Amino acid sequence: MAKSNFRPLHDRVAVRRVESESKTAGGIIIPDTAKEKPQEGEITAIGSGARDEAGKLVPLDVKAGDRVLFGKWSGTEVTLNGEDLLIMKESDIMGIIG
């Protein structure tokens, strides 16, 4: 993976979706047209953090490389250097996977 020169601002993160299974547990193959976009991804870049009421920088709880779950309609889809990414606020992330 080529190192991107993109860094989100403030409390935003860049997320690359991870591909979902194309087969069900019973062995039925799901066509691309019937698949939902995965709601799981890997963080590729993070911003410096948000500011609290006093102006103090509050760092993010996530870091690059974390696998996360996010809401179905979270983020804005962008293409950077040929790679499809989502840019979202840290608050759109529901949790870190394992």
Side-chain angles (χ1 to χ4, degrees):
M1 179 179 79
K3 179 76 174 157
S4 174
N5 57 357
F6 174 76
R7 184 177 61 88
L9 295 177
H10 311 296
D11 63 339
R12 289 182 176 79
V13 298
V15 178
R16 179 188 323 106
R17 289 186 195 267
V18 294
E19 293 303 315
S20 59
E21 291 293 320
S22 60
K23 216 188 308 187
T24 66
I28 297 171
I29 296 175
I30 305 167
D32 287 340
T33 55
K35 281 188 203 174
E36 286 193 18
K37 289 186 177 178
Q39 296 173 38
E40 180 180 333
E42 179 183 347
I43 295 182
T44 60
I46 64 170
S48 57
R51 299 239 177 231
D52 64 11
E53 295 83 23
K56 182 179 170 215
L57 188 67
V58 179
L60 301 181
D61 289 330
V62 295
K63 63 186 179 308
D66 283 349
R67 285 180 71 104
V68 295
L69 290 176
F70 48 86
K72 191 174 199 170
W73 308 109
S74 298
T76 301
E77 294 182 358
V78 297
T79 301
L80 293 170
N81 301 327
E83 183 177 29
D84 292 331
L85 298 173
L86 283 169
I87 308 299
M88 66 181 70
K89 287 188 168 259
E90 184 187 37
S91 60
D92 291 338
I93 296 172
M94 294 186 276
I96 300 171
I97 301 172

